[in-house]
Amino acid sequence: MRVGWRRKKTANPCNGNGLQLRLQTVAVVSLRLSISNGQDHFLPQFSNQALQFAYKTWNSKTYRQVRQLNNIDKPSYVLATPDGGLYISSFMKNEVFFVSNVFDLHSHAVTLIQGFGLDGPWGMVLDNQILYVASFATDEIRKYNSVTGEFITSFGGEEYLDCPEGIQLGANKTLYVASFLNDKVVKFSLDGNFLGVVADQRSGLKGPEDILLMKDGSLLVTSHYTDNILKFNPHTGQFLGEFGKVDRPVGLALGYDGHVYVTSYSTNSIVILDNTGTANLPSIFDDDYM
């Protein structure tokens, strides 16, 4: 889930020229990790484990703080592992931090990856000790050893990507990528072969920020500039209609409760949608975590 800053490109190509900064303040400030009272096993609460910074019992409005990480500058994306590890991309510092066990007070955030071609790290996925990182300003997906941080290779390029952000790993280890500025969702094999376009402007997509694979096999995409979430068949690219409406949607996560959690840039909140796309539950607001 996105939690930090974003650079908005005003010139082509996406090489760092003509980029302006915009503060992305969505739901969580300064990487405060919160969980609901009485939850002993927090990370498994969400099927994609991307919402660990947002979960709380919104009925009773009670939560307890587990950790606050103070040395992460402008975080943009967080990837959690089942054993309590966290990978945190810092968009402005061009670094990826790693916390080996967020529940251990002596486990601090250390720099795992930095620089050397990584420019604007954003979405991440992990597969067999390989960390895939979207590099926003270089239009590529970069592969690293998830333990040592060693760079392995990259793929994509401006032929296919224009400022990639959210990424998801689907069936048959297909990598789906939200390409923000060319208004596309594309897919690759994990060895970098381009497999085609899943979604584009023909369906009304404008500014895809994040993507989410649902339990029914469909793919949700946040269309930032049209204030809605669109639904697609990830295999055929068939447009399945609008899933829901959210003001300036950014990040997506699926809870074990079946609800879809959407960060809203303009309202500084996490909007909760049921499986029909209806927002019939209270939103989680940024002020709840201050």
Side-chain angles (χ1 to χ4, degrees):
M1 173 168 284
R2 276 175 47 154
V3 293
W5 286 65
R6 184 178 73 203
R7 278 185 284 191
K8 181 181 177 183
K9 193 178 75 169
T10 57
N12 289 315
C14 198
N15 59 5
N17 296 324
L19 295 177
Q20 61 186 22
L21 301 182
R22 160 169 103 163
L23 181 61
Q24 180 69 41
T25 311
V26 180
V28 180
V29 178
S30 71
L31 281 177
R32 181 175 295 175
L33 176 62
S34 302
I35 67 174
S36 64
N37 287 331
Q39 295 291 342
D40 294 325
H41 303 287
F42 174 64
L43 289 172
Q45 289 294 316
F46 294 91
S47 58
N48 67 355
Q49 297 174 356
L51 206 62
Q52 68 275 9
F53 286 127
Y55 184 71
K56 60 179 289 187
T57 304
W58 39 86
N59 292 328
S60 62
K61 302 293 184 184
T62 58
Y63 68 95
R64 64 184 176 88
Q65 180 176 308
V66 176
R67 287 288 303 278
Q68 182 165 329
L69 305 175
N70 296 316
N71 62 331
I72 311 296
D73 187 22
K74 306 302 183 293
S76 52
Y77 200 92
V78 176
L79 174 68
T81 66
D83 57 359
L86 291 180
Y87 294 90
I88 306 163
S89 59
S90 175
F91 187 80
M92 297 304 301
K93 294 186 71 174
N94 297 323
E95 295 183 35
V96 174
F97 295 89
F98 179 64
V99 181
S100 60
N101 185 350
V102 73
F103 299 108
D104 180 358
L105 295 179
H106 301 289
S107 176
H108 300 289
V110 298
T111 299
L112 179 69
I113 301 165
Q114 63 181 346
F116 303 109
L118 183 64
D119 194 348
W122 207 264
M124 298 175 288
V125 297
L126 183 64
D127 181 70
N128 292 331
Q129 292 194 333
I130 303 297
L131 185 67
Y132 297 79
V133 183
S135 183
F136 182 91
T138 60
D139 299 332
E140 61 185 356
I141 306 299
R142 298 176 65 83
K143 297 172 63 173
Y144 297 89
N145 183 302
S146 64
V147 177
T148 66
E150 179 184 2
F151 173 68
I152 298 171
T153 188
S154 64
F155 57 87
E158 61 184 24
E159 179 181 358
Y160 306 113
L161 299 174
D162 196 351
C163 296
E165 295 194 16
I167 59 179
Q168 281 261 291
L169 188 60
N172 301 317
K173 298 202 172 180
T174 300
L175 188 69
Y176 296 88
V177 184
S179 183
F180 181 71
L181 278 185
N182 63 5
D183 301 318
K184 293 180 180 179
V185 174
V186 299
K187 55 185 177 180
F188 296 90
S189 65
L190 290 185
D191 57 5
N193 290 324
F194 179 68
L195 301 178
V197 176
V198 177
D200 58 25
Q201 287 181 327
R202 290 174 293 179
S203 58
L205 184 62
K206 183 65 176 174
E209 299 261 14
D210 205 2
I211 50 183
L212 176 65
L213 288 163
M214 299 290 284
K215 292 180 179 180
D216 64 4
S218 63
L219 181 75
L220 300 186
V221 185
T222 53
S223 184
H224 186 77
Y225 292 117
T226 58
D227 297 326
N228 57 2
I229 296 101
L230 305 180
K231 189 175 184 179
F232 297 88
N233 182 316
H235 307 293
T236 66
Q238 179 186 2
F239 177 50
L240 302 176
E242 180 185 81
F243 177 77
K245 288 187 176 295
V246 173
D247 291 337
R248 292 295 186 263
V250 181
L252 287 168
L254 177 64
Y256 275 105
D257 55 10
H259 298 318
V260 175
Y261 296 74
V262 189
T263 52
S264 168
Y265 172 77
S266 60
T267 64
N268 291 333
S269 66
I270 298 174
V271 179
I272 308 169
L273 306 178
D274 64 20
N275 58 11
T276 69
T278 303
N280 57 8
L281 293 167
S283 297
I284 305 172
F285 284 89
D286 172 60
D287 289 344
D288 292 334
Y289 292 92
M290 295 299 289

